Amino acid sequence: MNTKIHIIIIEDEKNICNFMATTLSTQGYKISTASNGKNGLSLVTSVCPDLILLDLGLPDIDGIRIIREIRTWASIPIIVISARTQEQEKVLALDSGADDYITKPFGPAELMARIRTALRHGSRLNTGSLLALRAYQADGLVINFEKHLITLNGEDIHLTQVEYKIVSLLAQNSGRVMTYDSIISNVWGPYADDNNRILRVNMANIRRKLEKNPAEPHYIFTEIGIGYRMLEDNFVDGKTSDHQD
Ligand code: CA
C-alpha cells in the first residue's frame, strides 16, 4: 500500500503556509491548504485528512471554535500553530481537543517532529489498550505500567503514588504537551483545585528522583505557562527496540 499521509494546513499567512507545504511535500506528505476557517472546515469534512495544522488567528473563525467543531465528529490529530504571546490561547486550544502546538517561528525539524509524534499517538490510540500497557522506554528510563515499576539504568526508582500517576500519565502521552489542568484533573480528579502549586511540588520531587540535573531536565520538560512534555519513548512502528535489556 502506498497511500500518502494527507495533511491539511489552515493558515492565512501565505509565507508560513508555503513554507510548511513545501517542507511537508518534500517529506512525502500530501498537502491541501486553506487560508480561512470556513474553507478549512469544509476541506476537513470533504477529505477527512490524517492530520490538521491549524493557525489560531484566522480572519473569519476563531481557531478554538474550529477545534471544537472538528472534535464533535473526528479525532484527527490537530496541531495548533500560534504566536509566542498566545500562552492562554494555546492552553485553551489543548484543553479544547488540540493534540499539540508549535510556536512561530519554527524550523522544519521541529515541524516534522511534532507531526511524527501526533501521527504516532493517533495510531496508538486506535490500537487500544494493549499498547497502553506496553512499557515506556527512553534513554535508560523504563516504566512498566502493568507492574507499576520504574527503573533508571537498571536501578529501581521509588515514587509516591501521586508521583507515579503523574509520571505514567506523561509517559503514556510522551512527546506531547500535557496542560497543567489536564494533568491535575487526571491525577486528582475533575473537581480538584486548579491551583498548580501541588503539581509543581510533586514535579520537583519527581525530578529529584529521575533527573541527573533537575534544573536541566532530560526526561520531563516544562513548557512555561502551558504544562509538561515527557521525552518521547523509542516506540517505532509497533515495535519497541529491545537493546535495553
Ligand atoms: Ca494568522
Side-chain angles (χ1 to χ4, degrees):
M1 201 170 77
N2 193 19
T3 321
K4 280 187 176 181
I5 291 174
H6 194 164
I7 297 178
I8 288 183
I9 303 171
I10 309 176
E11 164 69 82
D12 61 322
E13 278 172 73
K14 270 222 167 69
N15 292 342
I16 296 179
C17 188
N18 290 343
F19 158 72
M20 290 193 290
T22 312
T23 306
L24 297 174
S25 308
T26 319
Q27 296 291 327
Y29 293 109
K30 182 177 176 192
I31 304 300
S32 305
T33 63
S35 59
N36 61 51
K38 190 169 167 283
N39 293 348
L41 269 176
S42 73
L43 194 59
V44 170
T45 324
S46 59
V47 309
C48 204
D50 299 290
L51 185 136
I52 300 163
L53 288 162
L54 173 69
D55 177 29
L56 281 184
L58 292 168
D60 55 344
I61 309 178
D62 180 16
I64 304 291
R65 265 189 55 200
I66 297 182
I67 297 167
R68 290 187 177 143
E69 168 71 30
I70 294 171
R71 280 293 171 262
T72 62
W73 62 275
S75 59
I76 305 163
I78 301 174
I79 299 175
V80 156
I81 305 153
S82 73
R84 205 161 284 282
T85 51
Q86 293 174 312
E87 246 67 52
Q88 273 317 103
E89 269 190 286
K90 286 179 209 169
V91 172
L92 190 58
L94 293 164
D95 287 338
S96 299
D99 293 80
D100 210 337
Y101 67 87
I102 188 162
T103 305
K104 297 174 199 176
F106 51 83
E110 197 185 349
L111 178 65
M112 295 308 302
R114 288 283 179 275
I115 288 175
R116 272 196 303 270
T117 302
L119 287 171
R120 189 187 289 188
H121 188 81
S123 66
R124 187 182 310 190
L125 283 184
N126 292 338
T127 46
S129 58
L130 262 183
L131 270 179
L133 285 175
R134 181 192 54 80
Y136 167 95
Q137 298 191 20
D139 282 4
L141 181 65
V142 178
I143 304 174
N144 182 324
F145 299 114
E146 276 175 294
K147 296 181 180 160
H148 286 216
L149 281 178
I150 303 191
T151 57
L152 181 61
N153 300 321
E155 305 260 344
D156 285 346
I157 300 284
H158 299 284
L159 298 181
T160 67
Q161 208 174 347
V162 165
E163 290 164 4
Y164 176 79
K165 275 189 173 180
I166 296 169
V167 172
S168 60
L169 176 70
L170 289 170
Q172 284 176 348
N173 291 281
S174 72
R176 304 167 70 209
V177 67
M178 298 287 289
T179 63
Y180 296 124
D181 280 0
S182 70
I183 298 170
I184 288 168
S185 67
N186 263 286
V187 172
W188 285 278
Y191 304 108
D193 190 350
D194 60 0
N195 175 351
N196 298 343
R197 201 188 64 89
I198 184 145
L199 177 56
R200 283 204 308 271
V201 168
N202 275 283
M203 186 54 70
N205 291 332
I206 291 167
R207 282 181 170 150
R208 252 196 303 279
K209 297 175 186 179
L210 284 192
E211 305 282 1
K212 219 183 245 169
N213 176 4
E216 278 177 44
H218 179 69
Y219 294 108
I220 302 176
F221 314 104
T222 300
E223 305 263 328
I224 294 164
I226 313 264
Y228 298 106
R229 186 192 299 274
M230 189 148 174
L231 180 67
E232 179 144 34
D233 68 16
N234 58 12
F235 171 84
V236 181
D237 296 332
K239 283 181 210 141
T240 306
S241 60
D242 358 274
H243 58 84
Q244 302 235 4
D245 18 33

